[in-house]
Amino acid sequence: MLSGKTILIGITGGIAAYKICDLIRMFKRSSANVRVVCTPNALNFVTRLTLQSLSGNEVAVEQFEVNEFKPEHISCADEADIMVIAPCSANTFSKIANGCCDNLLTSIVCAFNKPVIIAPAMNCNMWENPIIQENFARLSGFEILEPESGFLACGTRGQGRLCKIEKIYDKTVEILANSRKLAGKKIVITSGGTIENIDPVRFLSNHSSGKTGTALAQNAAAQGAEVVLITTADAPGGGIKTVKVQSALDMQAAVEKESGTADCIIMSAAVADYRPKEVSAQKLKKADDNELSVKLVKNPDILQELCKNKREGQIIVGFCAESENLIENAKAKIQHKGCDYLIANDISRSDIGFGSDENEVYIIDKNLNIKKLDKAPKTVIAAKILEEVL
Ligand code: CTP
């Protein structure tokens, strides 16, 4: 099933390391080529000889070994189709989240631009530690298989146990099976709320978190597309090319640069319709007057411009945030903007949309056909949107 695929398994220092021996056997039985990279601490739990015998390949540990004039971390990253880090200790988890490259394993992950599965395992108090949870949030570009609850090797009960190795195996197979569906396609995605400066201190913006755009980018990249994410939010990592922008004008310039060669453009960003006419170079001082007016000028409509200059075969998708008359406004908007699809969501509901991890949307096509996607995590909604429009 995995013939022709190379799976790079990263093992860190945790008691669950012994379970990875079985995982290697499962991959080998499915005809995958398995490479193993260990942190030095992992070898306290499982021997190099065992991993070498099971994988049939040398086990990489040392950072500065040079293989045929290529540093080991680059050759490992080049060769593999997917990387699976299991068990991932709290230490390595945090290092990956912060871009540290202090050993071979962390250097490989940092250079790896293909799918990465991370299966953390640690004491339950460590997992619940807010710093670890913050790092978890930062690793949104990776496929994280959360630890399971149960009896832990340290004698306590709680969430921290490595998830079942069958789950890691199934996720690997699923990702590899999907990994070529969008190969050869370039997809440009915008996300986040634009920031329109008033002076060096203040700005106008909105509540868009960029989560849907990130989920779209991750899903498209996992299906083999060349993805460019143009965003005001944090870069998701995981090898996704990200262009950080701030204002609507910055976003427009970045979109113009990338859109000519794009097969699909998805404008999920909440672009400010207006910006301050003048941006003060100095901080505006409080005056005696009780009122202050800031003159605003209209921003270009990036989506509408894209639709006017659309290339043959290009698919353009807009988003539509409405607080009332959702369908009626969305239908008028798709006709006005001229895009192929419009994803409409109701921002008046606090359980979905802005800031939430879930959404419920309607996909409207240019013939005004409507399809509802029921309330689900934004990652699921993103997958369904891509399936529908591509
Ligand atoms: N959009 C854009 N450029 C703008 C404003 C919006 O490209 N200056 C895009 C958004 O990225 C989104 C779509 O247009 O894909 C609809 O955005 P939305 O905020 O719902 O609508 P607006 O066009 O701004 O209209 P209104 O604010 O009046 O609802």
Side-chain angles (χ1 to χ4, degrees):
M1 203 194 307
L2 295 173
S3 164
K5 299 288 180 195
T6 295
I7 300 169
L8 178 61
I9 301 189
I11 308 177
T12 75
I15 184 66
Y18 77 92
K19 298 183 183 173
I20 306 311
C21 297
D22 275 340
L23 183 64
I24 296 172
R25 287 168 56 109
M26 288 168 83
F27 285 140
K28 289 294 286 183
R29 256 187 253 125
S30 299
S31 305
N33 176 32
V34 178
R35 295 283 317 260
V36 178
V37 54
C38 286
T39 61
N41 277 337
L43 297 180
N44 290 323
F45 294 90
V46 59
T47 71
R48 189 191 276 254
L49 187 60
T50 307
L51 298 169
Q52 212 155 285
S53 310
L54 291 173
S55 67
N57 278 314
E58 253 182 66
V59 173
V61 183
E62 284 78 28
Q63 180 152 24
F64 297 107
E65 257 170 23
V66 173
N67 172 15
E68 289 173 4
F69 307 108
K70 241 189 189 183
E72 189 72 9
H73 66 284
I74 301 299
S75 53
C76 283
D78 281 353
E79 196 191 333
D81 297 289
I82 189 166
M83 184 168 187
V84 177
I85 305 169
C88 185
S89 65
N91 186 33
T92 297
F93 194 71
S94 299
K95 284 193 222 168
I96 297 171
N98 291 285
C100 295
C101 303
D102 64 340
N103 62 37
L104 182 57
L105 192 153
T106 50
S107 303
I108 293 173
V109 195
C110 201
F112 204 75
N113 60 1
K114 285 160 274 184
V116 179
I117 296 174
I118 300 180
M122 61 194 76
N123 164 271
C124 53
N125 292 339
M126 291 166 93
W127 177 248
E128 281 164 17
N129 185 317
I131 298 173
I132 297 292
Q133 287 301 310
E134 216 172 277
N135 287 333
F136 181 18
R138 297 189 70 170
L139 290 170
S140 60
F142 299 84
E143 185 70 51
I144 311 282
L145 298 178
E146 285 191 45
E148 290 177 359
S149 294
F151 187 69
L152 305 178
C154 54
T156 45
R157 282 192 165 273
Q159 188 184 3
R161 211 159 71 169
L162 181 74
C163 69
K164 298 218 166 26
I165 55 164
E166 289 75 15
K167 192 168 175 183
I168 305 176
Y169 175 87
D170 289 348
K171 186 48 81 180
T172 309
V173 171
E174 181 195 318
I175 291 176
L176 288 174
N178 282 335
S179 67
R180 305 310 302 157
K181 269 194 195 163
L182 296 179
K185 301 268 180 233
K186 177 174 173 181
I187 303 184
V188 174
I189 298 165
T190 66
S191 75
T194 63
I195 295 169
E196 311 296 334
N197 284 337
I198 297 171
D199 69 10
V201 184
R202 291 95 169 191
F203 57 82
L204 297 174
S205 191
N206 58 66
H207 292 297
S208 171
S209 63
K211 282 181 186 166
T212 298
T214 294
L216 286 164
Q218 285 164 347
N219 197 292
Q223 294 188 62
E226 176 196 347
V227 176
V228 182
L229 178 65
I230 299 170
T231 184
T232 61
D234 285 343
I240 293 173
K241 179 178 170 187
T242 305
V243 182
K244 273 283 268 188
V245 292
Q246 205 180 32
S247 66
L249 292 181
D250 293 342
M251 186 171 274
Q252 184 186 37
V255 169
E256 268 174 13
K257 199 166 154 211
E258 298 289 349
S259 60
T261 48
D263 297 286
C264 174
I265 304 162
I266 307 181
M267 287 289 304
S268 70
V271 185
D273 292 329
Y274 295 90
R275 66 179 185 279
K277 186 168 184 196
E278 272 158 23
V279 181
S280 171
Q282 305 303 331
K283 185 185 169 202
L284 294 175
K285 301 302 285 179
K286 187 161 52 196
D288 290 338
D289 210 340
N290 276 337
E291 290 183 1
L292 172 76
S293 300
V294 178
K295 192 151 196 144
L296 302 178
V297 290
K298 214 173 206 172
N299 269 327
D301 190 315
I302 307 172
L303 178 62
Q304 203 168 15
E305 289 302 314
L306 282 171
C307 295
K308 275 189 205 151
N309 302 310
K310 188 173 121 112
R311 236 189 341 97
E312 178 80 24
Q314 199 170 47
I315 296 170
I316 302 184
V317 183
F319 269 63
C320 163
E322 301 292 341
S323 57
E324 56 179 355
N325 306 327
L326 180 64
I327 301 296
E328 197 183 312
N329 284 340
K331 280 183 175 173
K333 212 173 262 183
I334 192 170
Q335 285 174 314
H336 175 65
K337 303 246 183 188
C339 49
D340 299 292
Y341 295 92
L342 197 70
I343 316 298
N345 66 135
D346 181 349
I347 53 157
S348 68
R349 281 172 55 180
S350 58
D351 62 325
I352 54 166
F354 284 158
S356 163
D357 286 331
E358 298 197 309
N359 213 349
E360 177 185 294
V361 302
Y362 294 85
I363 303 181
I364 302 174
D365 69 19
K366 56 185 170 199
N367 300 319
L368 304 185
N369 297 311
I370 301 178
K371 182 168 185 171
K372 184 181 180 205
L373 300 184
D374 289 332
K375 186 173 159 183
K378 283 182 174 171
T379 47
V380 174
I381 296 284
K384 289 188 175 167
I385 291 172
L386 287 175
E387 204 178 307
E388 196 66 29
V389 307
L390 296 169

